[in-house]
Each structure stands twice: as structure tokens, then as C-alpha cells.
Amino acid sequence: MKAKKESTVNRPTQLNNEVLVEHFGFFPLAFVDDVINAVNDLIYQAANSLEKFVEEEIGQGEETMQGMVQVETLLESAVDKNFDFFELYVLRNILAIPQDVKIQLAHHKGRDYDITEEEERVLDEELEDVRRKLLTQKFLNHRLHREKAVVSKRLDRLHKCQLQLETLSALANGHNIAPLHDTLRFVNDQIGALKATLQIVREDVNSSDIQDLFGTPSDREKWLQEIVSRQITAAKGIQDDSPKPHNNLINNAEVERELSKVKQELGDAQVWRHVDEIISAAERANVLVYLFLLGTTITSVFGPKADPDIVASHQTYITPAIWSTYVWSVIHLLLGGFVIYQFFDQAHEQAVHGVGWHFVISAILNAAWFWLWTRGHEIISFFAILITASSVGFVFCKYYWMHHLEHKYPAATWADTILVHAPFSLWHGGITVLTVINLFAIFQNVKPSGPSTLQVILVVLGLVFLASTAIGYVEYKHRRGDLVGSFVISFALFAIWDNQTEPVIRWTAFALAILTALYPARPWIFSVMTATLSTQTMGLNGQPVSQSSPPGTPSLADSIESIDEQFMEDLRVSANNALLSPQLVQEEFPMILRGEDDRLIVIVGPCSIHNIEAALEYAHRLKELATELSPDLLIIMRAYFEKPRTTVGWKGLINDPDIDNSFNINKGLRVARKLLCDLTNSGIPVGCELLDTISPQFLADLISWGAIGARTTESQLHRELASGVSFPVGFKNGTDGNVGIAMDAIRAASAPHHFLGVTKQGLAAIINTRGNDLCHVILRGGSSGPNYSKEYIATYKSALDKAKLQSNIMVDCSHGNSSKNHRNQPIVAADLAAQVAAGDRSIMGVMIESNINEGNQKVPAEGPKGLKYGVSITDACVDWETTVEILRGLANAVRQRRQVHGRQ
């Protein structure tokens, strides 16, 4: 036998920790946590017993309460410090197996772990082949089950059809059913007999004999009968003077509806007898006014006193080319068609009720404007054209309360579209363009030297107004907009581009003309894009699409559907206005991290927020102070909603907003987001700790700065999370004071990552990040002691430079640096201020745990109602007065640092 090659993979050695878990049946860390929890329970019981004993012997009082709080704080500090040592010692020396020790359990005997790389590769290939076969088999089974279900449904339908055919066949044979064409002939004969009967009834009703039975009709009844007769005559083509026989069935239901409508709408019969005369007058008035409009236009353009070049005499920097006026020739032509078309019965509703007398008003106003315009009265003509635009819009636009042609009288035939809707739509767009031109004619005059900068800006704004109006015509009222009016404005923008010579005005008009011309066609453009994508052989991720993709792979059609959903999202959103925090992230914070801004960042606020009212009051105070100190400090409010616990305790506002162990997390998320919205709206940026990897999806758009705590800096999940957020992130050193893990976290977070996460919709997804280059170190001390002194800062700065990381250091004045005594925070801040004043630039930020009132408190037996206002229920904080002193001292230190470096 050949001797085996030396193994390069020692599996038992690599799996020693897993073997230990398998042997014990539990995780070693869980065992250590259980021990720590048990000891903590004993300590809490002892502390409670001591508190009761002191109260019985000495009595209750403020001094007693403060003394017990200090005793518990010192006890917790000592316990946490010793537990850190205990946990490290146990995990490293007791519940650990050296990597060079080869361990095998009893059920591992007989297994060969010493294999070569080649043998391992072969096994991997075999496993991969088996996996592919299983997936293929699963896919085939799925297809077979689906096809089976389809075939079963088809068989069921065929069976039902067979039963129905057998039933019909039996009925036909047993009952001697007549052939189908005989039945249809019988039905046709019955309909003909019914028509004849109805005709006789109608003639009898109109005869004098029947009318005499009801007495002599009144004037109103005669008038109503006349209206009904006209409706019947108009509907069936019967002339009163020479009735013609016909076989069409009279729609009596329609007559009844019309009669009911007339009865409801008519008020006084004496007035409404003249309705027909008024309608005839409106039609005649339309003819006369159209002739007046046409004559005025021809006289103004071609008459003896006409200006030979109307356009040139009113030249502005927004005047279009002369060929744009051809639109008005089309408008006059179509309006002439409208005047003729109104006399046809099918145009009665559209022309008379849809347009009404507004054509008369609009035409007279338009003629008056043109006369004033051609004679140089720009100011008066501007007001005339404003009224004209309102009148034309009143006819066309559907959002007006009375005459809404497009809404109540939609086009039923091509004649309605061309001769009623089209002329008013063209008029609608053309009058808008003329209004803008008239406005500029009042204030602007073309000079040989060209337009001034202000004139160019005003013209560009005018062009943007025209383009936005054209887009608004397309979009208004659920996309059933004025496409023709939008085309007129686009046509005018092309004419402006052709006529103007100033480059900015010219090419702005051209770009907006292209935009407005293509905008109505975007649904078809998207359709073409979708069709093009569906024929591509490349996937959306840039990889070739395999013809035999494994089951579960999204198809290209599914991907295109998701693209369509993106196109269909936020269709009714008019704008997205950035909040303060994104602006802060994009401008101020990165400038400080990159050394372009010498201000000091200060993260200050309560250890954790449990009272919304107190948080808002604190924010109000902090906002005023932040504005005052803004030249020297960039102040961010600490708004922590999640708290890491060494063992057990209140985990924060999100986890338990009512502080009663109800754990209403849904309420907590809503309350937290509402508070962040209020804080951001007030103008104060906020910083949060990213303790959970899911909750940032609910809050991240309102956060300006994030922190990764000492217990999670080493977590792979939190490093991946930091790589994808849109704001800077600070990594704290470990609980033992190790800064190396924070530097490793910065390198990890700055790189792209791919991991499992959730979307804004709460769906599981694969998250791809680009990396976050705005990360920094936070020094918070540890079990080895504080690390804020000058020597530590210099050491860590050198380590960051050696690792080729930005030497940005933020120092936490609380936690290990204050030995968990809040009264030491001013001491730490004063030391940091002295270093900054001496010229140190590596200290870019400071963290302070502050509240309205100092200290901390426990939740009493009666619950949150018994809590003191403005006092922390987690770590102890300094009060507001101390906070103001600290911040002013830091601001003064920044000013001194500028003097050291020769800046003012």
C-alpha cells in the first residue's frame, strides 16, 4: 500500500471549540453568563436587604437614598470589573482547548480526518454533483406536480362540457326542440309586433281624444309635451311637417329619463319657455364673435395701420420665432369648425352646455388683447390676457367647479375631439405662452450688448415655468391631462431656441423643449426599455443568464417587474426635501473628520431616553447653546433608545417604552421615530447607538452619527451594518481597554460587504454595501483603567498612523474613563480641553452623559409615575449647569488651539 501523504488539514484541531460544545451540550459562554447572573441576583438581593436594614435602623431620607445609590454604583462597578476578569480567565484558561491538542470524541472513532487536499477536492466535487442532482430532481418534481394540476383542471372542464352536451342532447331528443334558426325567427317576429304596438300607443297618446280625457292641458304641460316631442323627433329623425314611416324602436326609457330630468331642473315655466331661444341666441352669438375675432386678427396683421413686423416690434429675450404663430392659424381654423359644428345635433351637448357663453367672453377678450398688443399697450394687454387665460381655462380644465369640458363632456366621436376639444386645448396652451411673453415685454428690452445676468436668470425662470406648466398639463388629474396644450408649449420652446442667440437662454430652451416633447411619451419609452431588457442575454447583475438556471433563481421577467415597481413608486411625490441630518453628514461631519473643519464634535445627552417630555426640554436647551457655540463646537444630541446590559435590566425605550415589562416594541419604534422627527425638525442633530441590526431600518434616515458599543465592536454583524449606513460611525474600545479591535472594526467597516438583512418593507434580503470611510475610534476606558490622558492619546494616534487610518479620536468622558462616577466627567473633560488648547488635533470629538438633573435613579415599585423628572434611570449623568460649563470650556479650548496653529 502507498503511504498516505502528509495531511494539510487537521480537522479535529480546527474544531476543538465545536467539540467542546458537543461534549458539554452547551456553549461555554452561556455557562459563564449563568454564573454571572446568579452572582448578580445574590448581589441585588444583598443590596436590597442592606437598603431595608438601613431604612429600619436609620430611617428614610435623602441622604440615606443618595448613600445607597452610591454604594450600589460602587458595588456594580466593582462587580462588572471583576466579572470581566472572570469571564476572560474562564474562557481562555478553563473552558478552552489549546489549538495544538488533537481531540476526538467516542463517536468520532473510525473516521479518517487526515485527508489530502486532492482527496478533499474530489469529495467536494462529488458533494456538489449530488447537490445539483437533488436540485434538478426537486425542480422536475415541482414541474410535474404543476403540469399534473393543469391537466387535472382541463379534464374536469372537459368532463363538465361532456355532461352538458349529453343533457342538451337528451332534451332535444325527448322534447322535440325546434331548430335554432326557427326560434330566432320567432323572436324577431315578436319584436316586430311589439314595435308596431308601441307605435300605435304613441299615436294614441298624442291624439286629441286621449288628451281630452285628462282635460285641457296647461301652458306648462303643453311646453313639456313640446320638449318631449322634440326629443323623440331628434332621436328618431321624424319631421313634424312630413312624418316618415320607420321601423326603429323608440327608446321610451330615454324619453322618460329626459322628462324626469326636465322636471327636476326646470324652475319657473314662464322663464324656461325661452330656453330654446336662449340656446339659439348663444349659437348665433358664437358665430358673430368668431367673425369679430377673425376680423380683428386679420385687420391687426394685414390692415392699413398694421405693424409690418409684430414680432420684431415686441422682441424680448423669450420671444419665439415667427413660425410659432402658425399655431394661431390652426386655432382660428379649428374655432371656425367649432362654430359650424355647433349647429349639428350631436354637438349640442358639447358646444352649448360644455362651452356655453365662455367662448363669447374668451373670444372678445382675446381680440381686445390683440388690439392692445399691436398698439404697444403692454401693461393693459397683460391684464387682458390674464383674464383671457382664466376664461379659456375655465372652459377646458376639469378642476373648475362648473364648466369642465374634459370631465363632464368627454369626446364621444372624432368630430368632438377635433372641433370642440382640440381648439380649446390649443388655445389653452397658446394663451399661456403669450401671457409669459407679454409679461417679459413690459420689463425687458433687447439691447445690442445682450442681456444682463439678471435678465438671463429671469428668462430661465420663465422657461422653467413654461416647461413645468407643460408637464403639469400632462400630469394633472390622474394623468388624463391636456396633451395638446403641452405640445403647444413644447412647440413654443423650440421656437424660442430658434429665435434667441444668447447661449444660456438658447440651450436651456432647447433642453426644456426636448423634455416637454418626450415627457408625454415616457410610458411608451418605459415599455420599449422593458421589451429591450427582456431580449438581452445579460442578467441585471451583469452576469450571463444561464439557460438552465437553478430552481429559485429570479427570472428576468421578475426582475423587470421589480424595475416597473420602482418606476411606479412615488408617482404623486412632488419633491423630497432633505432633513438636517443628511445635510450634516454630507457637509459638516466629514469635513471635521478629514481635517477641513477645526471644530470639535461633542456628543452630549442622557445616557438613555425614557421620558419624551424631558428629552424635548433638554433638546430645546441644547439647541440654544449649540447655536451660541456653533463657531467652535458641532454639538449632537445623544439619543440612545437601546441599552446593552451586562446581565438583565431595562433595555431601552424601544424594547420597553412603558417601563413595565410589557415589551411593546411596536410602540417603542413609533415613539422613538416620532421623537427623532421632532428633534431633527427643531434643528438639533442626533446620535444613536446601533445595538440592534434591524432597528436602524426604522430610524437611520434621522440619525446623524452612530456608535458601536464596547460589547459589540468585535461583532461581525455590527461591522457589516456600519459599512452600509449613511452616517459616520464611532467604534468604542473593548471593555478590557483593547483599542486594537476598534481599529480592526474601522478597517472592516470601510470595505464592501454582502450579508443577510431586512429591507424597509421588513423582507429578508441580501444586503450589498459599499463601505463606510467615515468611521473613527472612541476611547471609553476599560477594566484596565482610563485611557484619555495625553500619553494614551499619543500612543493611539501613532497606532492609527501606522495602520494608515485617519487619526481621528473621540473620547468618552463617562464609563471607564470616569470610573463609572459621573462627577468625574468634568475632570476628564477639563483634561481633554487642556490637550486641545495645547494644539492637539487628533482629538476630534468628546462624549458626555448629561441630563437636566444629575445622578440616576431606580424605577420605584409604583412604576414610571414615581420617577424624578430629568434624572437618568441607567448610568448617572451630570446636570445641565455642569454641562454648560463643560461645553463652554471645550469651545474656549478650540479657540486657543486655533491661536496655537495661527488661525483666528
Side-chain angles (χ1 to χ4, degrees), residues 713-714 719 731 738-750 777 805:
T713 290
E714 208 167 1
R719 294 177 177 183
F731 288 93
N738 183 5
V739 181
I741 61 173
M743 296 170 59
D744 293 340
I746 293 175
R747 279 193 290 264
S750 64
V777 171
L805 298 173

Side-chain angles (χ1 to χ4, degrees), residues 505-811:
I505 297 175
R506 175 180 172 84
W507 293 110
T508 300
F510 181 78
L512 294 176
I514 295 295
L515 174 64
T516 54
L518 294 180
Y519 191 84
R522 71 196 184 289
W524 293 275
I525 295 174
F526 290 158
S527 300
V528 173
M529 290 173 59
T530 304
T532 304
L533 286 173
S534 64
T535 59
Q536 297 294 321
T537 59
M538 296 298 291
L540 294 178
N541 58 357
Q543 300 296 328
V545 178
S546 173
Q547 296 298 325
S548 58
S549 300
T553 302
S555 65
L556 187 60
D558 296 334
S559 302
I560 293 173
E561 182 179 357
S562 67
I563 291 178
D564 289 341
E565 292 175 357
Q566 294 175 10
F567 286 148
M568 293 300 293
E569 188 175 343
D570 291 342
L571 291 179
R572 300 296 178 259
V573 176
S574 61
N576 288 299
N577 298 321
L579 294 173
L580 176 64
S581 55
Q583 181 180 359
L584 175 68
V585 173
Q586 296 173 8
E587 296 179 7
E588 295 179 312
F589 214 125
M591 292 176 64
I592 296 176
L593 293 177
R594 295 176 181 132
E596 301 170 2
D597 189 337
D598 65 349
R599 288 184 297 170
L600 194 68
I601 300 170
V602 181
I603 313 296
V604 58
C607 173
S608 62
I609 290 178
H610 68 277
N611 186 309
I612 302 301
E613 182 181 355
L616 292 174
E617 179 183 345
Y618 184 93
H620 177 71
R621 298 184 182 186
L622 187 63
K623 172 59 180 174
E624 295 180 353
L625 187 61
T627 302
E628 175 189 344
L629 303 178
S630 60
D632 307 308
L633 303 179
L634 175 58
I635 297 178
I636 298 175
M637 179 174 170
R638 174 187 174 116
Y640 281 23
F641 302 117
E642 300 174 285
K643 292 297 296 179
R645 313 303 299 187
T646 303
T647 54
V648 293
W650 185 66
K651 296 182 181 179
L653 185 72
I654 290 179
N655 186 267
D656 188 12
D658 298 320
I659 321 178
D660 58 357
N661 294 327
S662 60
F663 306 110
N664 191 348
I665 296 178
N666 283 331
K667 177 182 177 181
L669 288 170
R670 293 188 178 95
V671 171
R673 181 168 181 84
K674 176 65 167 58
L675 177 59
L676 288 183
C677 290
D678 293 339
L679 295 177
T680 304
N681 188 53
S682 68
I684 188 76
V686 294
C688 298
E689 180 176 358
L690 307 180
L691 182 62
D692 182 82
T693 57
I694 296 177
S695 59
Q697 283 286 32
F698 298 87
L699 310 173
D701 56 328
L702 298 167
I703 298 175
S704 298
W705 173 87
I708 303 296
R711 296 173 178 81
T712 50
T713 290
E714 208 167 1
S715 165
Q716 177 71 18
L717 294 178
H718 289 79
R719 294 177 177 183
E720 292 170 344
L721 173 64
S723 73
V725 296
S726 301
F727 45 81
V729 175
F731 288 93
K732 290 190 175 183
N733 59 253
T735 55
D736 58 351
N738 183 5
V739 181
I741 61 173
M743 296 170 59
D744 293 340
I746 293 175
R747 279 193 290 264
S750 64
H753 287 277
H754 310 272
F755 56 93
L756 295 178
V758 294
T759 65
K760 291 284 188 182
Q761 293 75 29
L763 302 177
I766 299 174
I767 309 298
N768 303 322
T769 66
R770 299 178 180 177
N772 189 348
D773 61 345
L774 298 176
C775 297
H776 60 87
V777 171
I778 302 176
L779 303 182
R780 48 90 71 191
S783 56
S784 58
N787 57 1
Y788 64 85
S789 65
K790 181 178 180 181
E791 294 74 20
Y792 280 109
I793 298 296
T795 300
Y796 297 141
K797 179 182 183 301
S798 177
L800 289 169
D801 292 338
K802 186 176 180 180
K804 297 182 179 180
L805 298 173
Q806 292 182 348
S807 56
N808 294 319
I809 299 175
M810 180 177 286
V811 181

